[in-house]
Amino acid sequence: MRGKKDMMSGDDIRNAGLKVTLPRVKILALLEQSEQGHVSAEDVYKLLLDAGEEIGLATIYRVLTQFESAGLVTRHHFEGGQSVFELDRGEHHDHIVCIKCGRVEEFFDQTIEDRQQEIAKEKGFSVEAHALTIYGYCKDPACRAS
Amino acid sequence: MRGKKDMMSGDDIRNAGLKVTLPRVKILALLEQSEQGHVSAEDVYKLLLDAGEEIGLATIYRVLTQFESAGLVTRHHFEGGQSVFELDRGEHHDHIVCIKCGRVEEFFDQTIEDRQQEIAKEKGFSVEAHALTIYGYCKDPACRAS
DNA sequence: CAACAAATGAGATGCTTTTGCATTCTGCCA
DNA sequence: TGGCAGAATGCAAAAGCATCTCATTTGTTG
């Protein structure tokens, strides 16, 4: 089962009111193919270098930020410094992150979503966004807590 | 209703294996009295200055980090740059933050806690920590979404 | 295909946080 | 209570992440 959209393309960039340039196309393609699905700007920079594309880090930050504004990409602030980006396929989800190996898995839980709305209501807040991240050790034996 | 501990003191610093110095005492006292309860290192620096205590920013970062290791203080990474610290009174809770005025309120929801455990279990993760932050506009009319 | 606006690259810059090192202070023991 | 070893502090420099500046290059539209 996949999200609403499986493939992004130049049209998505154009629809965002952005010119279809090589850096933008390459970055979008990379996010699409990315194994992990969750990459930092630095990761994007290095992966593109490996692929023979020399795109400045400043451009990568700019493009990712623009993609974020356009709703093509979501930015997460996990603990540990750098922001992490992932393609936005239109389905909200939260994350569970391995604090040993960095593996990121996604989940969605309607019960939690509902409770959040209720809590916000009780406190008189509107809900514009939320971030839930669980940190732990994944099932890889090498990562199990000592 | 208050947490397990209402007052921190030099003993807490000593028990953490740290020497009881003026900067540490002042910082701990400030966290205790702080209205907001959630302050950045910069905030601590300025508040102490206002109180006539000149303590270097580097020291404040060092002390807060030590307090964190000692479990006296919890560090949060809300969106927007700086880390914020709060006294750890022994009760876990999550946060709801106003994206307009920065107000921070706390909440605890057993249902959400339970669901998190179940989700981690399903994914084969252990749960070492988690961070749930809801972002929205608070009840202050000046903050209501335009 | 010309012309203009938008985008890029490289390096400078800003901010938050950490670190190195010389000086000062705490806690402990004689 | 005086003195000492190790810990803590302050300052300035550095590090890490992200953004900005500006000259140059590249899409796009007519």
Side-chain angles (χ1 to χ4, degrees):
Chain A
M1 190 79 86
R2 295 291 296 282
K4 291 181 193 165
K5 291 194 56 174
D6 280 7
M7 287 291 284
M8 298 280 187
S9 72
D11 287 339
D12 291 290
I13 297 174
R14 210 184 318 276
N15 291 339
L18 301 170
K19 288 188 180 179
V20 181
T21 62
L22 189 133
R24 302 217 253 238
V25 170
K26 292 294 177 187
I27 292 172
L28 192 55
L30 185 147
L31 288 170
E32 197 128 274
Q33 304 157 197
S34 157
E35 294 274 316
Q36 253 279 329
H38 300 78
V39 292
S40 66
E42 187 87 27
D43 292 335
V44 172
Y45 178 69
K46 289 188 180 144
L47 288 168
L48 286 174
L49 262 192
D50 291 348
E53 304 289 343
E54 288 216 21
I55 298 176
L57 196 48
T59 299
I60 293 174
Y61 273 107
R62 258 184 310 233
V63 170
L64 287 173
T65 302
Q66 292 159 340
F67 282 2
E68 184 189 13
S69 301
L72 295 178
V73 151
T74 305
R75 181 194 304 238
H76 304 289
H77 304 266
F78 298 152
E79 299 194 28
Q82 294 164 285
S83 297
V84 173
F85 300 83
E86 82 178 301
L87 214 55
D88 185 339
R89 291 203 161 82
E91 295 181 327
H92 165 72
H93 57 252
D94 293 302
H95 298 88
I96 181 161
V97 180
C98 178
I99 51 187
K100 188 77 175 291
C101 70
R103 169 207 288 265
V104 179
E105 293 197 24
E106 306 173 350
F107 67 85
F108 176 83
D109 187 276
Q110 192 59 54
T111 306
I112 292 179
E113 301 291 321
D114 293 345
R115 287 299 301 142
Q116 288 183 37
Q117 288 293 340
E118 286 168 41
I119 289 159
K121 197 170 181 182
E122 284 168 23
K123 300 244 173 227
F125 277 65
S126 65
V127 176
E128 301 302 320
H130 74 262
L132 166 56
T133 306
I134 302 174
Y135 298 92
Y137 295 100
C138 76
K139 55 185 166 235
D140 184 329
C143 294
R144 299 314 310 207
S146 47
Chain B
M1 191 80 88
R2 294 292 295 283
K4 294 181 192 162
K5 290 193 56 174
D6 279 8
M7 286 293 282
M8 297 282 187
S9 72
D11 287 340
D12 291 289
I13 298 174
R14 210 186 319 278
N15 292 338
L18 301 169
K19 290 189 175 176
V20 181
T21 62
L22 188 132
R24 301 217 252 241
V25 170
K26 292 295 178 187
I27 292 172
L28 192 55
L30 186 148
L31 288 170
E32 197 127 275
Q33 304 158 196
S34 157
E35 295 274 318
Q36 251 279 328
H38 300 79
V39 292
S40 67
E42 187 85 27
D43 291 337
V44 172
Y45 178 70
K46 289 190 181 143
L47 288 168
L48 286 174
L49 262 191
D50 291 349
E53 303 289 341
E54 288 215 22
I55 298 176
L57 196 48
T59 299
I60 292 173
Y61 273 107
R62 262 186 303 235
V63 169
L64 288 172
T65 302
Q66 292 158 341
F67 282 1
E68 185 189 13
S69 303
L72 294 179
V73 151
T74 305
R75 182 194 303 238
H76 303 289
H77 305 264
F78 297 152
E79 299 193 30
Q82 295 163 286
S83 298
V84 299
F85 300 82
E86 82 177 303
L87 214 54
D88 185 341
R89 291 202 161 82
E91 293 182 329
H92 165 72
H93 57 252
D94 292 303
H95 298 88
I96 182 162
V97 180
C98 178
I99 52 187
K100 188 77 175 291
C101 70
R103 168 207 290 264
V104 178
E105 294 197 24
E106 304 172 353
F107 67 85
F108 175 83
D109 187 275
Q110 192 59 53
T111 306
I112 292 179
E113 300 291 321
D114 293 344
R115 289 297 302 140
Q116 289 183 37
Q117 289 292 340
E118 286 167 42
I119 290 160
K121 198 170 181 181
E122 284 168 22
K123 301 243 171 227
F125 277 64
S126 65
V127 176
E128 301 301 320
H130 75 260
L132 166 56
T133 306
I134 301 174
Y135 298 92
Y137 294 99
C138 76
K139 55 185 164 235
D140 184 329
C143 294
R144 299 315 309 208
S146 48

